[in-house]
Amino acid sequence: MSGFAHELPGRPLPAITPESKPYWDALNEHRLVFQACADCGTVRHYPRPLCAECFSLRVEWVESRGRGTVHSWTVAHHPFHLAFKGLVPYALVTVDMPEGVRVQAPWRGEVATLKLGLPVRVVFERVAPSLTLPAFVRDI
Amino acid sequence: MLVASHVPVNGAPLMLVSIAPRRYLPGIPFTRGRAMSLHKSGVISGVGETRYSKVSGQSVLALHLEASLAAIADAGLSPRDIDGLIPYGGIGVVAEDFITNFGIEDLRFSAHTPLGGASPIAAVQCALAAVSAGICRHVLVPIARNGSSGGRIQEAVEQMPQFAACAEFELPVGAFAPAQLYAPMARRHMELYGTTSLHFAEVAVSTRHNAILNGRAMMTKPMTVEDHQASRMIADPFRLFDCSLESDGGAAVVVSRADCARDLRKPAVMVLGIAEGHPDSPSAISQRQDMVGIGLDKCAPRAFEMAGVTPDDIDVAEIYDCFTYVVIRQLEALGFCKRGEGGPFVASGAIRLDGRLPVNTHGGLLSQGHIAGMNHIVELVRQLRGEAGRAQVANAEVGLVTGYGDMGDGSVAILARA
């Protein structure tokens, strides 16, 4: 692995692969997409070359409705990476999406309101000229 | 537990042709009857370690060699007797370094077992396979690192191929350190089963108590539950005292063919059962269908079956303790208590030195030193030989040691006095 500017106090950028490029491109268009097998339809995340159900290499992309429920969470207090020093404490939620995969992303809400099963929806945040990340807010 | 298949293994290819390929060999568990092949196939003949410190002042290679020489001497062997080597991969020391420094004339076997903290026991399994196949007689399994003074382990972690998905998709949103990756597992366990930070504290406090008795531990100041609760939050729910140390040092073991046991300097410690297991979604905890599930859930039943013992037979256990929570979850996976009951199990005092299952009698990664769990194997061998000093468990005859690595890889060995 390479491609992270560890020596810079900037946010680490993903080392995008041919498999993952459509995912990152869609985030820049404020769309959350997942890989799906073009043969059996099984949705998978994170992007990778092969369907583990039918071993097909054929891929299509499905757009998420962006709504899910909280599976777990953490609150980062210690900045293990220089780029996040000014952001701590920050909460991250792991979200069950109805498509059958999970998304881990920052939580934009009160930590005290977090509980298993809490309905949430995705929002999009541009954090660098070429990078948009998902985040979650409470779905009312 | 493995279930004996009613379908002969040589019938499998027919099955494969006749069904849709949704799962490889559906309904046919991978089994050769009881997995007995490594039962009593070899012994741990020698153990050794260096000083554990924040600043070793030595190169990683020198630490490897120092720990290895101690283990080889403990076995009553010469460095030239080593004919198999399984160095810990990815830290810049390879089998060639040992050939050069030991003057080994005919190294017959070398391998890597890249399972993070589950590697040392996976390496012992690999060594047993090699010696029982007759490839070699004495396999050295060393690890050393300057994990404190030589740069943050975190930076190395991000470069590891098994962390590539995490580095691409979770590092940018702010989840990358092991504490941050494991925290959602612990939080879910807490929410589902009522596990609390006070349960974590019991692990930290009892481990520190043992470290103080050990004499080689980095942490020697007594810890109370209040100290644990007052330690700063790192990645909620993990406080500082839930997290393992960063250490300089090395440890090594020698695995020898079972028929070498009578030539050894010390009483041999026999391997009764050993296994490794990999979790589902091994490269991304967030995508794991059962987020609380770990590799040890899969391999613990296999190791117990191979050993022919049950959890009730275990006199002492050295449980990989990168985080306090990880000890609790492994105790469940090993069958010492039911899933979800690990918190109350430790709160009962069971894992204290005078409890019914003394755990981490050397002080573990939390308080002795983080030598990727090789120090856990060293300690278990000493317990079974009666060499564990002030933390010696009386009449320790059968013991268990686990490894836990990367995103939840597991390994376990059940050992006994030969």
Side-chain angles (χ1 to χ4, degrees):
Chain A
M1 284 299 304
S2 62
F4 302 124
H6 292 300
E7 68 276 18
L8 300 174
R11 181 185 289 269
L13 300 175
I16 296 171
T17 67
E19 282 86 31
S20 65
K21 189 171 187 302
Y23 170 77
W24 294 112
D25 286 349
L27 285 176
N28 279 331
E29 298 164 3
H30 289 201
R31 294 184 302 119
L32 178 63
V33 300
F34 301 123
Q35 264 187 338
C37 174
D39 283 304
C40 77
T42 302
V43 176
R44 62 184 188 257
H45 200 48
Y46 297 112
R48 52 184 178 265
L50 193 69
C51 174
E53 291 297 318
C54 76
F55 316 131
S56 169
L57 284 159
R58 296 180 60 235
V59 170
E60 59 189 17
W61 292 84
V62 295
E63 183 164 347
S64 169
R65 293 182 56 243
R67 291 182 147 79
T69 56
V70 170
H71 189 81
S72 195
W73 68 90
T74 182
V75 184
H77 290 261
H78 180 79
F80 287 92
H81 193 295
L82 207 57
F84 295 92
K85 198 168 180 178
L87 297 179
V88 291
Y90 59 88
L92 297 170
V93 286
T94 311
V95 175
D96 282 313
M97 305 303 288
E99 292 84 3
V101 299
R102 297 203 193 104
V103 176
Q104 189 169 35
W107 169 242
R108 302 298 176 216
E110 293 293 322
V111 170
T113 62
L114 286 170
K115 59 179 181 181
L116 301 192
L118 182 77
V120 297
R121 67 179 168 82
V122 73
V123 295
F124 299 93
E125 299 177 345
R126 186 169 293 263
V127 298
S130 60
L131 182 64
T132 303
L133 294 175
F136 284 97
V137 298
R138 190 167 182 168
D139 191 17
I140 303 165
Chain B
M1 301 290 277
L2 280 174
V3 179
S5 171
H6 296 296
V7 182
V9 171
N10 61 11
L14 282 174
M15 292 288 290
L16 184 62
V17 172
S18 64
I19 49 92
R22 283 187 60 80
R23 284 215 160 55
Y24 195 61
L25 302 182
I28 302 176
F30 174 68
T31 174
R32 300 169 299 262
R34 287 183 70 192
M36 295 294 290
S37 58
L38 295 179
H39 177 69
K40 293 189 177 176
S41 60
V43 297
I44 312 262
S45 52
V47 298
E49 58 194 336
T50 68
R51 192 173 65 97
Y52 301 144
S53 68
K54 282 181 187 281
V55 183
S56 71
Q58 291 174 268
S59 72
V60 172
L61 176 57
L63 290 169
H64 271 89
L65 297 171
E66 182 185 330
S68 298
L69 287 174
I72 292 164
D74 188 55
L77 298 170
S78 156
R80 288 215 200 346
D81 292 328
I82 297 300
D83 57 1
L85 257 161
I86 309 181
Y88 191 83
I91 50 177
V93 171
V94 292
E96 285 84 344
D97 290 313
F98 293 87
I99 297 173
T100 303
N101 282 279
F102 289 169
I104 297 172
E105 293 175 0
D106 190 12
L107 190 79
R108 293 158 180 253
F109 179 79
S110 66
H112 284 168
T113 52
L115 286 79
S119 296
I121 293 168
V124 171
Q125 176 183 247
C126 184
L128 290 169
V131 298
S132 62
I135 299 171
C136 51
R137 286 164 57 91
H138 301 292
V139 182
L140 175 65
V141 182
I143 178 174
R145 56 187 180 183
N146 285 322
S148 169
S149 67
R152 299 299 293 262
I153 288 170
Q154 176 57 40
E155 288 164 19
V157 164
E158 289 161 23
Q159 310 296 320
M160 291 158 65
Q162 59 269 47
F163 283 75
C166 178
E168 181 175 358
F169 300 101
E170 299 185 348
L171 171 58
V173 300
F176 43 90
Q180 296 168 333
L181 299 172
Y182 297 174
M185 306 164 81
R187 170 55 61 190
R188 187 157 173 90
H189 198 275
M190 295 167 90
E191 298 296 315
L192 287 176
Y193 305 121
T195 313
T196 69
S197 180
L198 291 173
H199 296 147
F200 299 173
E202 174 62 32
V203 176
V205 168
S206 70
T207 306
R208 178 64 59 86
H209 172 268
N210 297 343
I212 292 166
L213 299 177
N214 178 254
R216 289 177 298 278
M218 292 174 68
M219 305 302 279
T220 54
K221 190 178 160 204
M223 185 199 296
T224 64
V225 170
E226 292 71 31
D227 294 334
H228 173 275
Q229 293 293 295
S231 68
R232 69 188 170 93
M233 196 65 88
I234 299 296
D236 184 28
F238 295 142
R239 297 178 176 280
L240 181 65
F241 288 171
D242 292 310
C243 303
S244 49
L245 304 171
E246 292 179 325
S247 309
D248 286 10
V253 304
V254 180
V255 177
S256 298
R257 219 166 63 195
D259 62 5
C260 300
R262 59 182 166 284
D263 302 329
L264 303 171
R265 193 164 76 86
K266 296 272 185 73
V269 170
M270 188 67 77
V271 179
L272 299 184
I274 192 162
E276 74 177 62
H278 297 254
D280 298 332
S281 184
S283 294
I285 291 167
S286 62
Q287 302 302 325
R288 189 166 299 163
Q289 195 64 36
D290 173 13
M291 187 185 269
V292 177
I294 54 177
L296 191 63
D297 288 314
K298 302 184 185 187
C299 65
R302 284 191 267 121
F304 275 109
E305 183 180 29
M306 187 189 295
V309 302
T310 71
D312 285 342
D313 297 317
I314 303 298
D315 299 316
V316 55
E318 315 300 349
I319 308 292
Y320 197 91
D321 54 335
C322 47
F323 297 94
T324 51
Y325 160 76
V326 172
V327 174
I328 288 172
R329 182 70 260 284
Q330 287 177 96
L331 289 167
E332 298 170 356
L334 290 162
F336 291 110
C337 57
K338 289 183 183 150
R339 179 164 163 157
E341 295 179 359
F345 179 81
V346 299
S348 74
I351 67 168
R352 293 182 194 174
L353 198 52
D354 60 357
R356 68 180 165 100
L357 180 73
V359 166
N360 293 347
T361 47
H362 55 325
L365 309 179
L366 290 168
S367 284
Q368 191 202 36
H370 196 322
I371 311 297
M374 194 73 79
N375 48 331
H376 290 52
I377 308 177
V378 169
E379 171 68 7
L380 182 58
V381 168
R382 289 191 174 142
Q383 284 284 348
L384 296 172
R385 289 174 176 171
E387 294 179 344
R390 289 196 290 160
Q392 179 65 49
V393 173
N395 303 317
E397 293 181 356
V398 181
L400 176 151
V401 55
T402 70
Y404 178 101
D406 293 348
M407 302 285 190
D409 295 343
S411 57
V412 54
I414 298 168
L415 310 181
R417 275 191 231 162

